[in-house]
Every structure is written in C-alpha cells, then in structure tokens.
Amino acid sequence: AEAHEAEATRINGEAVGVLAARCGEIGATLVHYSTDYVFDGEARAAPYRVDEARRPINAYGRSKAAGEEALERSGAEFLLLRTSWLYASHGKNFVRTIARASRERESLRVVNDQRGRPTSCATLVDVTARLLAEGARGTLHACDDGEATWFDLACAVAARVNPTCRVEPCTSAEFPRPAKRPAYSVLDLGPTRALIGEIPDWRASLERTLVE
C-alpha cells in the first residue's frame, strides 16, 4: 500500500463505494471489514471508540479510511466492522511466522512498543455472524478481548510451540518497516459486547488456533 497508494485507495476506498451503491440499488446489506489502522495511536491510554475521528498515519490506513467514508456516504444499509492483528491456522500471518521461527531458531526479537488486540479469524467470523443475527448495523469493532504487544503475542506462541526459544523485546525503531504503525490501536468492544455478550480473550483463541 505504501508503494502503490493510488491503487490501494481504488481497491480499499473507491471499490467499497461501488459495492455500497449496488447494494443500495438492490436493497442488500453490505458487510465490510476495516482496520485499527484508521487511527493514529498517538498518546492513548483508552481504547478507540467507534465514533472517534479517523486519523490514519500510513497509506493502508488512509485507503481503508476512504472506504469507510465511501460506505457512510452511500446511503446503503451496512455493517462496518473494524478488526485488528488478524491471524489463522492457515495462510501467511504473524502467528504462523513466529511458530515456524521459534522451531527453527534459538532466539527471536519482537517489537514491544505497539499495542493492540490480536484477533483470530475464527473469532471474527463468529462475531460477525452473531452481530448479523442480532440485526446490528452501522460501525462496530470485532476483535478478540484483551490486549497485547507483538512481543506478548510472540511469547505466547513460542511458549506453546517451543519453550526453549528465547523471545526478546525490541523497539519498532530497531525494525523499520515501509509503513509507520500506530503505537496504540486497541479498539473499544463495549458496544459489541452490549449486543452479543462476551467475546473470547485472545489467549484462548490463540490456543485453539495453535492446536489447529
């Protein structure tokens, strides 16, 4: 997204508006997934509410914010779900990468200054289905409960996969990436819980995923 922001905005932004317009024409509800990266993560101590102003700090976040705005302007009926730090038992993701690396290496260094909600794709699917069953509409957050840093998540994975692997904390500055990441992007789950009840803690969801 950083290297091809215009293309990312067409896919994550403009295309959402096209889909929403079509849904409006036929009376369908559009379920759309967005991201914690629509927020800047600056000077935070409390989770981001669903109604807070979007302030993305990277190209991906800007492209997803454009999609949210297009959806809101469309007039279509929608359920917009922001989620974060997704992983699953399949595909390319942080949990699988750390599981593999902890088997192959004696030690790992993982950033400890970014905080969010690790979320199992299985939880996201379940929360989506439960919200739809309740007739939920508008913008909500859909993540596993609890919060962690990437270091915390890596420690939990390594402890389960290969406890002899040492996981050491480091800063984001030591591992520069093309896109700046929010330091704090914990999403408020209060309105979601009010509709569907309890949501699993990320540690429980991680354990189920690692078993898979």
Side-chain angles (χ1 to χ4, degrees):
E2 291 292 322
H4 305 280
E5 185 167 358
E7 184 179 0
T9 302
R10 290 189 68 199
I11 295 167
N12 292 330
E14 294 171 26
V16 178
V18 173
L19 288 169
R22 182 59 180 146
C23 286
E25 291 170 3
I26 65 175
T29 299
L30 178 59
V31 179
H32 176 62
Y33 295 103
S34 191
T35 174
D36 55 329
Y37 283 9
V38 299
F39 298 120
D40 60 15
E42 298 294 332
R44 295 293 300 197
Y48 279 97
R49 303 185 313 274
V50 295
D51 60 352
E52 289 199 50
R54 292 172 283 249
R55 293 189 179 90
I57 58 174
N58 57 40
Y60 176 70
R62 288 190 291 272
S63 73
K64 295 296 285 184
E68 291 191 8
E69 292 162 2
L71 185 54
E72 292 165 355
R73 288 194 305 267
S74 71
E77 190 171 81
F78 66 86
L79 177 60
L80 191 163
L81 298 175
R82 294 192 188 111
T83 191
S84 62
W85 297 27
L86 287 173
Y87 64 88
S89 60
H90 57 278
K92 183 179 180 181
N93 59 74
F94 181 84
V95 166
R96 282 174 56 88
T97 297
I98 293 297
R100 183 179 65 252
S102 64
R103 292 189 191 100
E104 297 172 350
R105 295 161 58 180
E106 294 182 354
S107 65
L108 304 171
R109 300 183 74 222
V110 181
V111 296
N112 197 34
D113 56 3
Q114 297 173 26
R115 179 169 291 274
R117 293 196 192 274
T119 303
S120 160
C121 287
T123 294
L124 180 58
V125 170
D126 179 64
V127 169
T128 301
R130 289 160 65 191
L131 286 170
L132 288 171
E134 292 296 326
R137 297 293 185 269
T139 301
L140 290 164
H141 295 158
C143 308
D144 272 308
D145 209 346
E147 58 185 73
T149 66
W150 292 112
F151 169 75
D152 296 331
L153 180 55
C155 286
V157 173
R160 179 70 169 74
V161 174
N162 179 16
T164 65
C165 178
R166 299 189 316 277
V167 184
E168 301 171 349
C170 68
T171 67
S172 298
E174 294 176 76
F175 281 88
R177 304 285 297 278
K180 184 180 180 182
R181 263 65 170 178
Y184 182 94
S185 62
V186 178
L187 299 175
D188 178 23
L189 294 173
T192 305
R193 287 196 206 93
L195 287 168
I196 64 171
E198 290 305 303
I199 300 170
D201 184 85
W202 68 266
R203 297 168 188 83
S205 295
L206 176 65
E207 174 64 20
R208 286 193 291 272
T209 300
L210 292 174
V211 169
E212 290 175 9

